[in-house]
Amino acid sequence: MTDRITRRWWAIAIVILALAGAMGVVGAVGEATRTASTTDALPVGSDSAAAAQLRERLPEVKGSSAVVLFSREGGRLDAADLAAVQERAAALPGGGRIPPQRSDDGTAALVVVPVTATDATGTGKAVADIRTTAREGLPEGLTAQVTGPAAVEADLAKVFDGANTRLLLATASVVALLLVLTYRSPILWVVPLVVVGVADRVAAVVATHVLSAFGQAWDESTIGILSVLVFGAGTDYALLLISRYRDELRHHEDRREAMSLALHRTAEAVLSSAVTVVVGLLTLLLSLFPATRGLGLACAVGVVVAAAFVLLVLPATLVCFGRWVFWPRVPHVGQESLADGHSLWRRVGDRVAAHPRRVIAVTLVVLAAMASGLLAVDTGLKQSDQFLTKPEAIAAGERLAQSFPAGSADPAVIVTTGDAEAVRTAAAGVDGVASARVTARGDGVAEVDAVISAAPSSPEATSTVRALRDAVAPIAQTHVGGTEAVALDQAEASSRDRFVILPIVLGLVLVALGLLLRSVVAPLVLVSTVVATYLASVGASWWIFTKVFGFEALDDNAPLYAFVFLVALGVDYNIFLVTRAQEETRRHGPRLGMLRGLAATGGVITSAGILLAAVFAVLGVLPLVVLAQIGVIICVGVLLDTLVVRTLLVPAIAIVLGDRFWWPRRIRRVEAVEIPTSELQHV
């Protein structure tokens, strides 16, 4: 198979067919589209999801609502202000239907405006129109700000205006820069970048159509994270293949023969890595969140596409060029290979081999110290803290809470098919509820809005939601929704997802490694080191979040996403190292085999790790705290895994265990090899 890919006409045909197929898929087919559902971000089976589904039956209640807050800084509203508020309220959509409400202290007035749009684009346009209309012709000093569920949704959607394009350009730029620095060639870096870039566009199209076929949810962030993963994983695989190709060119005059051998010896590691990552990502299908399920499936498809392009299109493309593509560092026959040389990574390996137990102890102490930050971690990011830059909807909500009950802009929404008055009475009697009123009826369904006195996202607000649910529980088909209820359900569902998915990911990765290495001890060691890396990265990142960025909590989904990506991708580098060490062990024994494996893969794995860390750090270009948190945790974790765990800890453990590292498998020696004196001096 590898010989066929590298033959002249086969290689040309593969490149032409790949480009033509990609142009057809991206240009003619295009990405699938879908209309976002109100339940995409709601846990399946939750009370808030049931409320949202039941609410859709109300004929007059489609979409959500915005709240226009009129206020004068440091003063009360006078008669002219109130007249202007009345005029602006009449000009707003649905004007006059709900009169303005003046605060008890006279410093503010609010108007609730229905927003009938049900998609992010329509909601964003409606909120923009409301903001323009509300501010038109106001007296000097009187301000109008828009908050409420619709405004928050609009500001969140605004984050993603052109976000995928910005993210793609930033990711491609980072990859291009690091490839140039890695290869130090003005030509070579273009080939893997173009191949992976085409794979990314194909992956976006294929993934969205697969999601559509299986009825899974996705949004703009899904495609953005997919691009980051395809560029990161695809470029990692490309670095490994090209590194081995360069090595084989030092032993073989025929570049096609060199590529055939490089592909044959790299394919197992790349396929094993891709299978491990895909298996890990598919565990997200067990999540209670529809959007998380869609993300897992989309990213799994993306990794498959990236691996296919690297193993089929990249080698065919490279052999279409001569050795000159590596200029100015062109490999020639007779040059020393990486495994035979005494590079930085071989010298590091020699130091590790001299005192392996000491290296293990020191490394574990460092990881434990970094992981100590876990003791202070708090999850449950407030809605007001979800943006890196505070948008108008959040600022207006905070100002509103100074003059009205805190939950006025975003009340709890109780939806029932039972007695609406009984629901209202039960809700009004709950401690912490400032007021409750029936706001809509139709098709056998009624909606009751309950204003919560406590500040949004506070423990008191959560307790009030729980009390509301207890109070209305005796009334059949009655469900409590709204932002506070959704936050409560999301926190509980996230906790359940971590409890279920994390051990399954570990188990599946352990089995995958066991089948690959046909060993028991090695997979246990590798998975344990990856878990240690994850714990240390979350702990260290917590100090970065609190001391540098001022975040007060981790988003509920950040630990799960970071775990799945870190475990799956972190195992990659161990697979690259261990499969090469396994190959070298057949000729040189376990100790020297591990050192030669480290020397051969150290440079490429370090480059791949730095590249992957930088790619995930690019998520910070989007002003969403959760993406920044995921990016930082994965960035720190990948750097730890690349520079510390894979370089020091894994080789030290393997050297201490010797042949037992591969137990119960015994790696058969291919032939007796005379070790040069120079090698003995470095062991």
Side-chain angles (χ1 to χ4, degrees):
M1 178 65 177
T2 57
D3 290 338
R4 183 169 296 179
I5 292 173
T6 56
R7 288 177 189 171
R8 181 181 179 184
W9 295 113
W10 272 99
I12 294 174
I14 289 172
V15 173
I16 293 174
L17 288 174
L19 288 176
M23 290 174 63
V25 168
V26 176
V29 179
E31 295 182 22
T33 58
R34 72 182 291 270
T35 301
S37 169
T38 55
T39 58
D40 282 352
L42 303 180
V44 175
S46 65
D47 201 46
S48 54
Q53 291 170 343
L54 193 59
R55 189 171 185 264
E56 291 177 353
R57 289 172 48 184
L58 287 168
E60 296 181 1
V61 181
K62 299 293 182 184
S64 55
S65 62
V67 176
V68 183
L69 177 70
F70 296 92
S71 62
R72 182 177 289 279
E73 187 64 32
R76 295 168 59 88
L77 302 183
D78 56 25
D81 292 335
L82 293 175
V85 169
Q86 195 74 38
E87 179 189 351
R88 290 296 87 210
L92 292 169
R97 195 169 66 182
I98 302 177
Q101 301 175 44
R102 187 181 181 189
S103 64
D104 292 340
D105 60 7
T107 60
L110 64 80
V111 180
V112 178
V113 183
V115 176
T116 57
T118 57
D119 63 295
T121 302
T123 300
K125 184 178 184 305
V127 170
D129 291 343
I130 291 171
R131 284 172 170 157
T132 300
T133 303
R135 291 165 182 160
E136 187 177 343
L138 290 179
E140 185 177 353
L142 182 65
T143 61
Q145 297 172 288
V146 181
T147 183
V152 173
E153 182 184 352
D155 288 344
L156 181 61
K158 195 173 181 180
V159 168
F160 290 99
D161 282 347
N164 284 345
T165 301
R166 294 199 309 273
L167 192 61
L168 180 60
L169 290 175
T171 303
S173 300
V174 168
V175 170
L177 175 62
L178 291 175
L179 285 175
V180 170
L181 295 176
T182 299
Y183 293 129
R184 282 170 276 179
S185 166
I187 306 167
L188 180 60
W189 64 274
V190 177
V191 180
L193 181 64
V194 170
V195 170
V196 175
V198 173
D200 170 64
R201 293 299 84 208
V202 172
V205 174
V206 175
T208 53
H209 282 277
V210 170
L211 290 170
S212 179
F214 285 93
Q216 298 294 332
W218 79 90
D219 56 22
E220 295 90 341
S221 65
T222 304
I223 306 304
I225 295 175
L226 170 65
S227 287
V228 169
L229 184 61
V230 169
F231 265 97
T235 309
D236 277 3
Y237 300 154
L239 286 169
L240 186 66
L241 175 65
I242 294 173
S243 175
R244 191 60 185 258
Y245 177 43
R246 186 200 292 268
D247 230 19
E248 295 298 336
L249 286 172
R250 297 186 175 108
H251 297 285
H252 302 278
E253 191 67 47
D254 186 347
R255 69 178 186 274
R256 301 183 193 283
E257 181 185 1
M259 176 56 80
S260 179
L261 289 169
L263 181 57
H264 177 73
R265 291 167 178 170
T266 305
E268 182 182 17
V270 171
L271 287 174
S272 301
S273 168
V275 168
T276 304
V277 175
V278 167
V279 166
L281 291 169
L282 288 179
T283 59
L284 291 178
L285 290 172
L286 300 174
S287 172
L288 292 177
F289 294 92
T292 299
R293 294 176 181 178
L295 177 65
L297 182 56
C299 288
V301 171
V303 171
V304 171
V305 173
F309 267 75
V310 169
L311 293 178
L312 296 175
V313 182
L314 181 60
T317 305
L318 284 170
V319 295
C320 289
F321 302 94
R323 293 171 182 262
W324 58 266
V325 76
F326 287 93
W327 185 86
R329 303 172 65 202
V330 180
H332 297 289
V333 174
Q335 290 180 339
E336 192 175 52
S337 67
L338 290 173
D340 293 324
H342 301 292
S343 63
L344 168 64
W345 303 110
R346 179 55 190 271
R347 294 196 296 272
V348 169
D350 292 335
R351 294 290 184 90
V352 171
H355 305 285
R357 289 179 173 81
R358 185 182 304 171
V359 170
I360 293 171
V362 172
T363 305
L364 290 178
V365 168
V366 170
L367 292 175
M370 297 178 71
S372 64
L374 287 168
L375 300 175
V377 168
D378 184 23
T379 58
L381 201 64
K382 298 178 181 178
Q383 186 183 64
S384 59
D385 296 331
Q386 290 179 353
F387 299 86
L388 291 174
T389 303
K390 187 180 295 184
E392 178 183 327
I394 301 301
E398 293 174 351
R399 172 62 186 86
L400 183 146
Q402 298 174 14
S403 301
F404 293 91
S408 298
D410 195 1
V413 178
I414 308 171
V415 189
T416 182
T417 58
D419 185 346
E421 189 57 34
V423 171
R424 189 203 65 78
T425 302
V430 172
D431 288 340
V433 173
S435 63
R437 63 190 182 91
V438 179
T439 55
R441 298 176 188 267
D443 194 20
V445 178
E447 177 180 293
V448 176
D449 285 359
V451 176
I452 297 175
S453 302
S457 303
S458 65
E460 293 78 13
T462 302
S463 298
T464 302
V465 170
R466 294 185 189 276
L468 270 172
R469 285 179 169 167
D470 290 340
V472 301
I475 305 171
Q477 287 296 305
T478 301
H479 306 282
V480 180
T483 301
E484 294 299 329
V486 167
L488 172 59
D489 290 341
Q490 287 176 334
E492 292 178 347
S494 296
S495 178
R496 175 267 180 198
D497 280 358
R498 291 193 295 270
F499 181 78
V500 171
I501 295 176
L502 267 58
I504 292 177
V505 171
L506 288 179
L508 290 175
V509 169
L510 194 62
V511 170
L513 285 175
L515 294 174
L516 166 66
L517 302 175
R518 296 188 291 281
S519 167
V520 173
V521 174
L524 287 172
V525 170
L526 298 181
V527 169
S528 297
T529 59
V530 171
V531 171
T533 301
Y534 169 75
L535 297 176
S537 64
V538 175
S541 297
W542 176 251
W543 300 125
I544 295 173
F545 295 150
T546 54
K547 306 301 181 183
V548 178
F549 295 112
F551 300 155
E552 296 182 359
L554 280 180
D555 184 85
D556 288 320
N557 285 325
L560 175 64
Y561 287 174
F563 182 86
V564 172
F565 284 119
L566 260 185
V567 169
L569 296 172
V571 168
D572 275 6
Y573 302 129
N574 285 321
I575 288 175
F576 296 165
L577 169 64
V578 170
T579 52
R580 184 59 184 265
Q582 192 178 69
E583 179 184 331
E584 298 291 339
T585 297
R586 293 190 180 97
R587 294 181 177 274
H588 302 277
R591 184 183 181 88
L592 187 54
M594 179 56 71
L595 296 180
R596 288 174 63 85
L598 180 60
T601 62
V604 64
I605 292 178
T606 300
S607 299
I610 293 173
L611 186 146
L612 188 66
V615 164
F616 270 95
V618 169
L619 286 174
V621 304
L622 301 179
L624 274 184
V625 170
V626 59
L627 294 181
Q629 290 180 340
I630 293 171
V632 168
I633 294 173
I634 295 176
C635 179
V636 171
V638 169
L639 290 177
L640 264 180
D641 188 79
T642 303
L643 301 176
V644 178
V645 174
R646 187 268 313 157
T647 304
L648 304 175
L649 186 58
V650 172
I653 294 174
I655 288 170
V656 169
L657 293 177
D659 279 327
R660 291 170 295 177
F661 182 74
W662 306 104
W663 186 89
R665 182 184 181 188
R666 292 184 63 83
I667 299 180
R668 197 174 65 180
R669 307 293 187 266
V670 174
E671 61 182 22
V673 176
E674 182 178 348
I675 303 176
T677 304
S678 59
E679 289 281 8
L680 291 173
Q681 291 173 348
H682 283 84
V683 178

